PDB file of all heavy atoms in Angstrom:
ATOM      1  N   VAL A  24     -11.299   2.003   2.903  1.00 84.00           N
ATOM      2  CA  VAL A  24     -12.648   1.431   2.860  1.00 84.00           C
ATOM      3  C   VAL A  24     -13.645   2.589   2.593  1.00 84.00           C
ATOM      4  O   VAL A  24     -13.592   3.640   3.234  1.00 84.00           O
ATOM      5  CB  VAL A  24     -12.997   0.757   4.224  1.00 84.00           C
ATOM      6  CG1 VAL A  24     -14.441   0.282   4.236  1.00 84.00           C
ATOM      7  CG2 VAL A  24     -12.046  -0.407   4.473  1.00 84.00           C
ATOM      8  N   VAL A  25     -14.520   2.390   1.635  1.00 77.00           N
ATOM      9  CA  VAL A  25     -15.561   3.369   1.328  1.00 77.00           C
ATOM     10  C   VAL A  25     -16.636   3.247   2.390  1.00 77.00           C
ATOM     11  O   VAL A  25     -17.239   2.172   2.570  1.00 77.00           O
ATOM     12  CB  VAL A  25     -16.150   3.149  -0.085  1.00 77.00           C
ATOM     13  CG1 VAL A  25     -17.275   4.126  -0.357  1.00 77.00           C
ATOM     14  CG2 VAL A  25     -15.041   3.280  -1.119  1.00 77.00           C
ATOM     15  N   SER A  26     -16.885   4.314   3.073  1.00 51.00           N
ATOM     16  CA  SER A  26     -17.739   4.273   4.265  1.00 51.00           C
ATOM     17  C   SER A  26     -19.183   4.737   4.020  1.00 51.00           C
ATOM     18  O   SER A  26     -19.825   5.207   4.928  1.00 51.00           O
ATOM     19  CB  SER A  26     -17.121   5.099   5.385  1.00 51.00           C
ATOM     20  OG  SER A  26     -16.940   6.441   4.970  1.00 51.00           O
ATOM     21  N   THR A  27     -19.627   4.606   2.748  1.00 39.00           N
ATOM     22  CA  THR A  27     -20.995   5.031   2.484  1.00 39.00           C
ATOM     23  C   THR A  27     -22.035   4.066   3.062  1.00 39.00           C
ATOM     24  O   THR A  27     -23.181   4.436   3.314  1.00 39.00           O
ATOM     25  CB  THR A  27     -21.248   5.121   0.961  1.00 39.00           C
ATOM     26  OG1 THR A  27     -20.968   3.841   0.367  1.00 39.00           O
ATOM     27  CG2 THR A  27     -20.308   6.156   0.331  1.00 39.00           C
ATOM     28  N   GLY A  28     -21.633   2.807   3.248  1.00 47.00           N
ATOM     29  CA  GLY A  28     -22.564   1.803   3.803  1.00 47.00           C
ATOM     30  C   GLY A  28     -23.575   1.295   2.814  1.00 47.00           C
ATOM     31  O   GLY A  28     -24.514   0.571   3.180  1.00 47.00           O
ATOM     32  N   THR A  29     -23.426   1.642   1.510  1.00 47.00           N
ATOM     33  CA  THR A  29     -24.453   1.258   0.526  1.00 47.00           C
ATOM     34  C   THR A  29     -24.517  -0.233   0.305  1.00 47.00           C
ATOM     35  O   THR A  29     -25.551  -0.769  -0.068  1.00 47.00           O
ATOM     36  CB  THR A  29     -24.148   1.942  -0.824  1.00 47.00           C
ATOM     37  OG1 THR A  29     -22.800   1.668  -1.194  1.00 47.00           O
ATOM     38  CG2 THR A  29     -24.334   3.443  -0.706  1.00 47.00           C
ATOM     39  N   ASN A  30     -23.400  -0.942   0.514  1.00 46.00           N
ATOM     40  CA  ASN A  30     -23.389  -2.378   0.257  1.00 46.00           C
ATOM     41  C   ASN A  30     -23.162  -3.221   1.506  1.00 46.00           C
ATOM     42  O   ASN A  30     -23.015  -4.428   1.441  1.00 46.00           O
ATOM     43  CB  ASN A  30     -22.281  -2.714  -0.769  1.00 46.00           C
ATOM     44  CG  ASN A  30     -22.553  -2.154  -2.138  1.00 46.00           C
ATOM     45  OD1 ASN A  30     -23.654  -2.344  -2.655  1.00 46.00           O
ATOM     46  ND2 ASN A  30     -21.610  -1.443  -2.683  1.00 46.00           N
ATOM     47  N   SER A  31     -23.090  -2.560   2.668  1.00 48.00           N
ATOM     48  CA  SER A  31     -22.720  -3.286   3.882  1.00 48.00           C
ATOM     49  C   SER A  31     -23.714  -4.375   4.245  1.00 48.00           C
ATOM     50  O   SER A  31     -23.363  -5.397   4.824  1.00 48.00           O
ATOM     51  CB  SER A  31     -22.596  -2.291   5.065  1.00 48.00           C
ATOM     52  OG  SER A  31     -23.804  -1.636   5.268  1.00 48.00           O
ATOM     53  N   SER A  32     -24.991  -4.218   3.880  1.00 52.00           N
ATOM     54  CA  SER A  32     -26.007  -5.194   4.252  1.00 52.00           C
ATOM     55  C   SER A  32     -25.832  -6.506   3.473  1.00 52.00           C
ATOM     56  O   SER A  32     -26.345  -7.536   3.853  1.00 52.00           O
ATOM     57  CB  SER A  32     -27.418  -4.638   4.004  1.00 52.00           C
ATOM     58  OG  SER A  32     -27.567  -4.333   2.628  1.00 52.00           O
ATOM     59  N   LYS A  33     -25.073  -6.450   2.374  1.00 56.00           N
ATOM     60  CA  LYS A  33     -24.877  -7.663   1.560  1.00 56.00           C
ATOM     61  C   LYS A  33     -23.683  -8.485   2.023  1.00 56.00           C
ATOM     62  O   LYS A  33     -23.421  -9.539   1.493  1.00 56.00           O
ATOM     63  CB  LYS A  33     -24.683  -7.255   0.095  1.00 56.00           C
ATOM     64  CG  LYS A  33     -25.883  -6.506  -0.489  1.00 56.00           C
ATOM     65  CD  LYS A  33     -25.602  -6.106  -1.937  1.00 56.00           C
ATOM     66  CE  LYS A  33     -26.773  -5.329  -2.517  1.00 56.00           C
ATOM     67  NZ  LYS A  33     -26.526  -4.933  -3.927  1.00 56.00           N
ATOM     68  N   GLY A  34     -22.945  -7.963   3.018  1.00 63.00           N
ATOM     69  CA  GLY A  34     -21.802  -8.680   3.508  1.00 63.00           C
ATOM     70  C   GLY A  34     -20.638  -8.638   2.539  1.00 63.00           C
ATOM     71  O   GLY A  34     -20.572  -9.373   1.571  1.00 63.00           O
ATOM     72  N   GLY A  35     -19.707  -7.816   2.695  1.00 77.00           N
ATOM     73  CA  GLY A  35     -18.596  -7.626   1.776  1.00 77.00           C
ATOM     74  C   GLY A  35     -17.994  -6.246   2.053  1.00 77.00           C
ATOM     75  O   GLY A  35     -18.397  -5.575   2.992  1.00 77.00           O
ATOM     76  N   VAL A  36     -17.032  -5.871   1.257  1.00 82.00           N
ATOM     77  CA  VAL A  36     -16.314  -4.619   1.485  1.00 82.00           C
ATOM     78  C   VAL A  36     -16.153  -3.876   0.179  1.00 82.00           C
ATOM     79  O   VAL A  36     -15.815  -4.463  -0.857  1.00 82.00           O
ATOM     80  CB  VAL A  36     -14.938  -4.870   2.122  1.00 82.00           C
ATOM     81  CG1 VAL A  36     -14.240  -3.556   2.450  1.00 82.00           C
ATOM     82  CG2 VAL A  36     -15.049  -5.720   3.380  1.00 82.00           C
ATOM     83  N   ASP A  37     -16.415  -2.581   0.244  1.00 84.00           N
ATOM     84  CA  ASP A  37     -16.255  -1.651  -0.872  1.00 84.00           C
ATOM     85  C   ASP A  37     -15.011  -0.843  -0.593  1.00 84.00           C
ATOM     86  O   ASP A  37     -14.957  -0.114   0.410  1.00 84.00           O
ATOM     87  CB  ASP A  37     -17.476  -0.758  -0.961  1.00 84.00           C
ATOM     88  CG  ASP A  37     -17.701  -0.186  -2.338  1.00 84.00           C
ATOM     89  OD1 ASP A  37     -16.931  -0.517  -3.252  1.00 84.00           O
ATOM     90  OD2 ASP A  37     -18.652   0.597  -2.506  1.00 84.00           O
ATOM     91  N   VAL A  38     -13.968  -0.933  -1.427  1.00 87.00           N
ATOM     92  CA  VAL A  38     -12.706  -0.253  -1.110  1.00 87.00           C
ATOM     93  C   VAL A  38     -12.189   0.544  -2.324  1.00 87.00           C
ATOM     94  O   VAL A  38     -12.488   0.213  -3.470  1.00 87.00           O
ATOM     95  CB  VAL A  38     -11.610  -1.259  -0.680  1.00 87.00           C
ATOM     96  CG1 VAL A  38     -11.982  -1.953   0.614  1.00 87.00           C
ATOM     97  CG2 VAL A  38     -11.342  -2.283  -1.772  1.00 87.00           C
ATOM     98  N   LEU A  39     -11.428   1.575  -1.990  1.00 89.00           N
ATOM     99  CA  LEU A  39     -10.632   2.272  -2.970  1.00 89.00           C
ATOM    100  C   LEU A  39      -9.203   1.763  -2.849  1.00 89.00           C
ATOM    101  O   LEU A  39      -8.591   1.886  -1.773  1.00 89.00           O
ATOM    102  CB  LEU A  39     -10.653   3.781  -2.743  1.00 89.00           C
ATOM    103  CG  LEU A  39     -11.920   4.536  -3.097  1.00 89.00           C
ATOM    104  CD1 LEU A  39     -11.726   6.020  -2.852  1.00 89.00           C
ATOM    105  CD2 LEU A  39     -12.292   4.346  -4.568  1.00 89.00           C
ATOM    106  N   VAL A  40      -8.687   1.196  -3.919  1.00 91.00           N
ATOM    107  CA  VAL A  40      -7.316   0.711  -3.911  1.00 91.00           C
ATOM    108  C   VAL A  40      -6.426   1.768  -4.603  1.00 91.00           C
ATOM    109  O   VAL A  40      -6.760   2.248  -5.679  1.00 91.00           O
ATOM    110  CB  VAL A  40      -7.207  -0.641  -4.640  1.00 91.00           C
ATOM    111  CG1 VAL A  40      -5.748  -1.084  -4.742  1.00 91.00           C
ATOM    112  CG2 VAL A  40      -8.064  -1.679  -3.949  1.00 91.00           C
ATOM    113  N   VAL A  41      -5.350   2.096  -3.958  1.00 92.00           N
ATOM    114  CA  VAL A  41      -4.421   3.117  -4.470  1.00 92.00           C
ATOM    115  C   VAL A  41      -3.081   2.488  -4.769  1.00 92.00           C
ATOM    116  O   VAL A  41      -2.514   1.770  -3.930  1.00 92.00           O
ATOM    117  CB  VAL A  41      -4.221   4.266  -3.474  1.00 92.00           C
ATOM    118  CG1 VAL A  41      -3.323   5.366  -4.071  1.00 92.00           C
ATOM    119  CG2 VAL A  41      -5.564   4.851  -3.063  1.00 92.00           C
ATOM    120  N   ALA A  42      -2.560   2.733  -5.974  1.00 93.00           N
ATOM    121  CA  ALA A  42      -1.218   2.255  -6.342  1.00 93.00           C
ATOM    122  C   ALA A  42      -0.418   3.454  -6.821  1.00 93.00           C
ATOM    123  O   ALA A  42      -0.830   4.130  -7.767  1.00 93.00           O
ATOM    124  CB  ALA A  42      -1.313   1.200  -7.424  1.00 93.00           C
ATOM    125  N   ALA A  43       0.688   3.717  -6.181  1.00 93.00           N
ATOM    126  CA  ALA A  43       1.569   4.836  -6.563  1.00 93.00           C
ATOM    127  C   ALA A  43       2.934   4.304  -6.941  1.00 93.00           C
ATOM    128  O   ALA A  43       3.506   3.444  -6.226  1.00 93.00           O
ATOM    129  CB  ALA A  43       1.688   5.836  -5.418  1.00 93.00           C
ATOM    130  N   LYS A  44       3.495   4.798  -8.054  1.00 93.00           N
ATOM    131  CA  LYS A  44       4.802   4.329  -8.483  1.00 93.00           C
ATOM    132  C   LYS A  44       5.858   4.643  -7.431  1.00 93.00           C
ATOM    133  O   LYS A  44       5.947   5.777  -6.938  1.00 93.00           O
ATOM    134  CB  LYS A  44       5.195   5.009  -9.814  1.00 93.00           C
ATOM    135  CG  LYS A  44       4.276   4.659 -10.981  1.00 93.00           C
ATOM    136  CD  LYS A  44       4.407   3.212 -11.410  1.00 93.00           C
ATOM    137  CE  LYS A  44       5.722   2.921 -12.068  1.00 93.00           C
ATOM    138  NZ  LYS A  44       5.793   3.507 -13.440  1.00 93.00           N
ATOM    139  N   LYS A  45       6.636   3.660  -7.088  1.00 94.00           N
ATOM    140  CA  LYS A  45       7.656   3.821  -6.035  1.00 94.00           C
ATOM    141  C   LYS A  45       8.691   4.872  -6.406  1.00 94.00           C
ATOM    142  O   LYS A  45       9.175   5.611  -5.548  1.00 94.00           O
ATOM    143  CB  LYS A  45       8.357   2.498  -5.761  1.00 94.00           C
ATOM    144  CG  LYS A  45       7.480   1.478  -5.050  1.00 94.00           C
ATOM    145  CD  LYS A  45       8.213   0.167  -4.814  1.00 94.00           C
ATOM    146  CE  LYS A  45       7.357  -0.850  -4.091  1.00 94.00           C
ATOM    147  NZ  LYS A  45       8.062  -2.146  -3.897  1.00 94.00           N
ATOM    148  N   ASP A  46       9.030   4.964  -7.696  1.00 93.00           N
ATOM    149  CA  ASP A  46      10.047   5.928  -8.078  1.00 93.00           C
ATOM    150  C   ASP A  46       9.538   7.368  -7.889  1.00 93.00           C
ATOM    151  O   ASP A  46      10.332   8.257  -7.535  1.00 93.00           O
ATOM    152  CB  ASP A  46      10.512   5.714  -9.522  1.00 93.00           C
ATOM    153  CG  ASP A  46       9.391   5.767 -10.540  1.00 93.00           C
ATOM    154  OD1 ASP A  46       8.200   5.775 -10.140  1.00 93.00           O
ATOM    155  OD2 ASP A  46       9.692   5.777 -11.756  1.00 93.00           O
ATOM    156  N   ARG A  47       8.226   7.593  -8.063  1.00 93.00           N
ATOM    157  CA  ARG A  47       7.697   8.945  -7.827  1.00 93.00           C
ATOM    158  C   ARG A  47       7.651   9.244  -6.333  1.00 93.00           C
ATOM    159  O   ARG A  47       7.848  10.387  -5.929  1.00 93.00           O
ATOM    160  CB  ARG A  47       6.287   9.055  -8.434  1.00 93.00           C
ATOM    161  CG  ARG A  47       6.282   9.045  -9.948  1.00 93.00           C
ATOM    162  CD  ARG A  47       6.974  10.279 -10.511  1.00 93.00           C
ATOM    163  NE  ARG A  47       7.127  10.220 -11.941  1.00 93.00           N
ATOM    164  CZ  ARG A  47       6.182  10.599 -12.807  1.00 93.00           C
ATOM    165  NH1 ARG A  47       5.033  11.026 -12.369  1.00 93.00           N
ATOM    166  NH2 ARG A  47       6.419  10.508 -14.090  1.00 93.00           N
ATOM    167  N   ILE A  48       7.335   8.255  -5.512  1.00 94.00           N
ATOM    168  CA  ILE A  48       7.370   8.451  -4.069  1.00 94.00           C
ATOM    169  C   ILE A  48       8.798   8.794  -3.609  1.00 94.00           C
ATOM    170  O   ILE A  48       8.998   9.764  -2.848  1.00 94.00           O
ATOM    171  CB  ILE A  48       6.844   7.216  -3.330  1.00 94.00           C
ATOM    172  CG1 ILE A  48       5.367   6.958  -3.679  1.00 94.00           C
ATOM    173  CG2 ILE A  48       6.986   7.389  -1.817  1.00 94.00           C
ATOM    174  CD1 ILE A  48       4.840   5.663  -3.096  1.00 94.00           C
ATOM    175  N   GLU A  49       9.761   8.038  -4.084  1.00 95.00           N
ATOM    176  CA  GLU A  49      11.150   8.289  -3.734  1.00 95.00           C
ATOM    177  C   GLU A  49      11.619   9.657  -4.216  1.00 95.00           C
ATOM    178  O   GLU A  49      12.342  10.376  -3.497  1.00 95.00           O
ATOM    179  CB  GLU A  49      12.040   7.187  -4.316  1.00 95.00           C
ATOM    180  CG  GLU A  49      11.796   5.807  -3.678  1.00 95.00           C
ATOM    181  CD  GLU A  49      12.444   4.691  -4.455  1.00 95.00           C
ATOM    182  OE1 GLU A  49      13.081   4.990  -5.510  1.00 95.00           O
ATOM    183  OE2 GLU A  49      12.335   3.527  -4.032  1.00 95.00           O
ATOM    184  N   GLU A  50      11.157  10.038  -5.391  1.00 94.00           N
ATOM    185  CA  GLU A  50      11.505  11.337  -5.956  1.00 94.00           C
ATOM    186  C   GLU A  50      10.967  12.468  -5.075  1.00 94.00           C
ATOM    187  O   GLU A  50      11.664  13.433  -4.778  1.00 94.00           O
ATOM    188  CB  GLU A  50      10.896  11.402  -7.365  1.00 94.00           C
ATOM    189  CG  GLU A  50      11.151  12.634  -8.171  1.00 94.00           C
ATOM    190  CD  GLU A  50      10.426  12.519  -9.498  1.00 94.00           C
ATOM    191  OE1 GLU A  50      10.965  11.877 -10.408  1.00 94.00           O
ATOM    192  OE2 GLU A  50       9.305  13.044  -9.598  1.00 94.00           O
ATOM    193  N   ARG A  51       9.734  12.311  -4.656  1.00 94.00           N
ATOM    194  CA  ARG A  51       9.092  13.343  -3.809  1.00 94.00           C
ATOM    195  C   ARG A  51       9.762  13.428  -2.433  1.00 94.00           C
ATOM    196  O   ARG A  51      10.035  14.525  -1.928  1.00 94.00           O
ATOM    197  CB  ARG A  51       7.595  13.061  -3.674  1.00 94.00           C
ATOM    198  CG  ARG A  51       6.827  14.020  -2.788  1.00 94.00           C
ATOM    199  CD  ARG A  51       6.977  15.486  -3.218  1.00 94.00           C
ATOM    200  NE  ARG A  51       6.724  15.688  -4.631  1.00 94.00           N
ATOM    201  CZ  ARG A  51       5.505  15.876  -5.148  1.00 94.00           C
ATOM    202  NH1 ARG A  51       4.437  15.881  -4.343  1.00 94.00           N
ATOM    203  NH2 ARG A  51       5.356  16.088  -6.434  1.00 94.00           N
ATOM    204  N   THR A  52      10.027  12.269  -1.810  1.00 95.00           N
ATOM    205  CA  THR A  52      10.650  12.301  -0.491  1.00 95.00           C
ATOM    206  C   THR A  52      12.072  12.870  -0.561  1.00 95.00           C
ATOM    207  O   THR A  52      12.519  13.577   0.351  1.00 95.00           O
ATOM    208  CB  THR A  52      10.700  10.892   0.146  1.00 95.00           C
ATOM    209  OG1 THR A  52      11.369   9.998  -0.735  1.00 95.00           O
ATOM    210  CG2 THR A  52       9.286  10.358   0.357  1.00 95.00           C
ATOM    211  N   MET A  53      12.769  12.616  -1.675  1.00 95.00           N
ATOM    212  CA  MET A  53      14.126  13.161  -1.831  1.00 95.00           C
ATOM    213  C   MET A  53      14.103  14.681  -1.895  1.00 95.00           C
ATOM    214  O   MET A  53      14.938  15.369  -1.313  1.00 95.00           O
ATOM    215  CB  MET A  53      14.766  12.563  -3.088  1.00 95.00           C
ATOM    216  CG  MET A  53      16.239  12.935  -3.240  1.00 95.00           C
ATOM    217  SD  MET A  53      16.949  12.235  -4.761  1.00 95.00           S
ATOM    218  CE  MET A  53      16.650  10.483  -4.482  1.00 95.00           C
ATOM    219  N   VAL A  54      13.118  15.217  -2.648  1.00 95.00           N
ATOM    220  CA  VAL A  54      13.002  16.676  -2.744  1.00 95.00           C
ATOM    221  C   VAL A  54      12.811  17.295  -1.346  1.00 95.00           C
ATOM    222  O   VAL A  54      13.435  18.308  -1.010  1.00 95.00           O
ATOM    223  CB  VAL A  54      11.817  17.044  -3.657  1.00 95.00           C
ATOM    224  CG1 VAL A  54      11.402  18.499  -3.477  1.00 95.00           C
ATOM    225  CG2 VAL A  54      12.189  16.788  -5.112  1.00 95.00           C
ATOM    226  N   ILE A  55      11.976  16.670  -0.547  1.00 95.00           N
ATOM    227  CA  ILE A  55      11.696  17.215   0.780  1.00 95.00           C
ATOM    228  C   ILE A  55      12.907  17.027   1.708  1.00 95.00           C
ATOM    229  O   ILE A  55      13.254  17.933   2.470  1.00 95.00           O
ATOM    230  CB  ILE A  55      10.447  16.540   1.357  1.00 95.00           C
ATOM    231  CG1 ILE A  55       9.210  16.973   0.527  1.00 95.00           C
ATOM    232  CG2 ILE A  55      10.214  16.942   2.827  1.00 95.00           C
ATOM    233  CD1 ILE A  55       7.990  16.139   0.782  1.00 95.00           C
ATOM    234  N   GLU A  56      13.565  15.870   1.638  1.00 95.00           N
ATOM    235  CA  GLU A  56      14.748  15.632   2.462  1.00 95.00           C
ATOM    236  C   GLU A  56      15.855  16.624   2.111  1.00 95.00           C
ATOM    237  O   GLU A  56      16.543  17.105   3.029  1.00 95.00           O
ATOM    238  CB  GLU A  56      15.230  14.198   2.254  1.00 95.00           C
ATOM    239  CG  GLU A  56      14.349  13.163   2.951  1.00 95.00           C
ATOM    240  CD  GLU A  56      14.767  11.741   2.583  1.00 95.00           C
ATOM    241  OE1 GLU A  56      15.486  11.576   1.577  1.00 95.00           O
ATOM    242  OE2 GLU A  56      14.299  10.812   3.271  1.00 95.00           O
ATOM    243  N   HIS A  57      16.000  16.956   0.856  1.00 94.00           N
ATOM    244  CA  HIS A  57      17.042  17.898   0.478  1.00 94.00           C
ATOM    245  C   HIS A  57      16.734  19.320   0.920  1.00 94.00           C
ATOM    246  O   HIS A  57      17.626  20.171   0.914  1.00 94.00           O
ATOM    247  CB  HIS A  57      17.247  17.879  -1.058  1.00 94.00           C
ATOM    248  CG  HIS A  57      17.964  16.676  -1.539  1.00 94.00           C
ATOM    249  ND1 HIS A  57      18.206  16.414  -2.870  1.00 94.00           N
ATOM    250  CD2 HIS A  57      18.520  15.621  -0.865  1.00 94.00           C
ATOM    251  CE1 HIS A  57      18.851  15.279  -2.998  1.00 94.00           C
ATOM    252  NE2 HIS A  57      19.061  14.771  -1.798  1.00 94.00           N
TER     253      HIS A  57
END
């Protein structure tokens, strides 16, 4: 949630949505586990 409060008076939510490829996450966790 973006916490600037610029739009809070209008009733609604301002968010940053993050999408990360699962194969890259698995790749990174494997490197660390090894």
Side-chain angles (χ1 to χ4, degrees):
V24 176
V25 177
S26 57
T27 58
T29 53
N30 293 310
S31 60
S32 62
K33 299 179 181 179
V36 184
D37 203 2
V38 295
L39 286 182
V40 177
V41 183
K44 296 293 289 288
K45 289 180 179 178
D46 57 349
R47 291 294 173 85
I48 296 173
E49 292 168 0
E50 182 182 278
R51 178 56 50 85
T52 57
M53 188 181 301
V54 163
I55 294 167
E56 286 172 345
H57 285 177

